[in-house]
Amino acid sequence: MRIKDLDQLKVREDVFDEITLLALYKMVNKGWISAIGGSISTGKEANVFLADRKEERVAIKIYMTRTANFQKMQTYIAGDRRFLNIGKTRRDIVFAWTRKEFSNLKRALEAGLSVPKPLVFDRNILVMEFLGEDEIPYPQLRVAKIVDPAGVYASLIESLRVLWQTAKLVHGDLSEYNILYGGGKAWLIDMGQAVTPDHPHSIIFLRRDLEQLNRFFSPLCDTIVLIDLMRQITGIPHLPENAGTELSEA
């Protein structure tokens, strides 16, 4: 059911708290969105909804200020020189996280990568391109019908190489849950935690991303040895075998 009266959202206090409602009212008044539709995905940290923006469908991602994983967010924000002077409250961290995802998506898009185009953000809300057809979102990679697994695997490796070398980012939480597959290609989503290569844990995050990628694709096609992948993506030919294993609990 489409919701055009934002007052109706007050019954959903778990998602649409006062902070979120204020941001939504602002977006409606500025013409950034005109209507909110059904849920696309739900999670502990954020919910995504279908929405209208003039004549186009968009996705609205709402980070929940009450239930978001505050400690996890701090792990990725701490050490990112782009976000040094932010407050320490839960609200400050969530607002910074929203701004961080907008920035990361913009950098990835400018590098030519397949990510949802970020449109606007305010407080804990991010408006971005809707990835799907006929109001049906593209499926997560884990449930998608992949005709050519080897081709998709190779394309994702190239995407991660471009992400590191051109966009100067590492995804940091890659898995078959935050890769969508549709329109004949794989799309990277959920970029809030992505950090720059100079982040103290960037190699750790990269190794973990590639471990997840190999774990998913190994039953489907031939995969590349982990350290060879890391060297290929970073462009560092003599990267040590154990690179990224330090502080592996990060």
Side-chain angles (χ1 to χ4, degrees):
M1 181 181 296
R2 307 202 64 77
I3 302 173
K4 294 184 181 295
D5 181 1
L6 291 181
D7 288 332
Q8 296 181 43
L9 301 179
K10 291 180 179 178
V11 299
R12 293 286 310 279
E13 292 183 356
D14 56 331
V15 178
F16 300 101
D17 56 14
E18 184 178 355
I19 292 172
T20 304
L21 285 173
L22 287 172
L24 284 172
Y25 279 118
K26 180 179 178 180
M27 288 185 167
V28 170
N29 289 334
K30 288 184 174 291
W32 293 340
I33 57 172
S34 55
I36 301 175
S39 174
I40 295 174
S41 67
T42 60
K44 293 181 180 179
E45 295 179 354
N47 289 344
V48 182
F49 297 88
L50 187 66
D52 286 346
R53 184 175 187 257
K54 297 179 181 179
E55 299 300 321
E56 65 177 328
R57 294 286 189 268
V58 295
I60 297 182
K61 188 171 189 175
I62 301 176
Y63 280 103
M64 293 178 283
T65 56
R66 297 177 182 175
T67 59
N69 190 329
F70 182 73
Q71 296 300 324
K72 178 182 177 182
M73 287 180 170
Q74 282 188 316
T75 299
Y76 289 96
I77 289 178
D80 192 325
R81 289 190 286 183
R82 299 172 298 166
F83 298 89
L84 292 178
N85 299 313
I86 63 172
K88 301 299 182 182
T89 69
R90 180 181 296 273
R91 182 182 301 182
D92 291 332
I93 296 296
V94 172
F95 287 5
W97 191 269
T98 307
R99 177 161 54 97
K100 188 168 181 277
E101 178 155 28
F102 180 89
S103 174
N104 289 340
L105 286 172
K106 186 177 180 181
R107 289 175 71 153
L109 187 71
E110 289 172 350
L113 293 169
S114 297
V115 297
K117 179 181 179 181
L119 300 172
V120 69
F121 73 95
D122 187 65
R123 304 183 196 194
N124 61 320
I125 300 178
L126 171 63
V127 181
M128 55 191 166
E129 175 188 9
F130 169 68
L131 299 180
E133 298 176 4
D134 300 323
E135 299 192 5
I136 300 174
Y138 291 146
Q140 294 173 329
L141 188 66
R142 66 186 182 92
V143 294
K145 295 180 179 179
I146 307 172
V147 177
D148 179 19
V152 176
Y153 176 70
S155 73
L156 283 168
I157 291 170
E158 175 61 12
S159 293
L160 296 181
R161 187 193 67 79
V162 172
L163 190 66
W164 179 284
Q165 296 189 22
T166 303
K168 304 300 182 185
L169 290 172
V170 55
H171 189 282
D173 192 27
L174 193 69
S175 76
E176 63 271 27
Y177 287 85
N178 46 33
I179 300 171
L180 303 184
Y181 185 75
K185 57 184 176 180
W187 302 77
L188 302 179
I189 62 169
D190 293 341
M191 298 281 289
Q193 71 292 320
V195 299
T196 52
D198 61 2
H199 188 283
H201 292 159
S202 62
I203 292 292
I204 295 171
F205 296 152
L206 177 62
R207 187 181 191 99
R208 189 170 62 193
D209 284 353
L210 296 175
E211 285 174 342
Q212 292 294 325
L213 194 67
N214 276 357
R215 174 193 54 77
F216 177 79
F217 278 98
S218 58
L220 306 176
C221 63
D222 292 336
T223 57
I224 301 172
V225 174
L226 183 60
I227 188 58
D228 292 339
L229 271 182
M230 295 178 69
R231 291 168 178 165
Q232 177 180 337
I233 286 168
T234 61
I236 305 173
H238 303 297
L239 199 67
E241 289 273 353
N242 66 341
T245 59
E246 313 88 345
L247 300 175
S248 58
E249 69 276 6

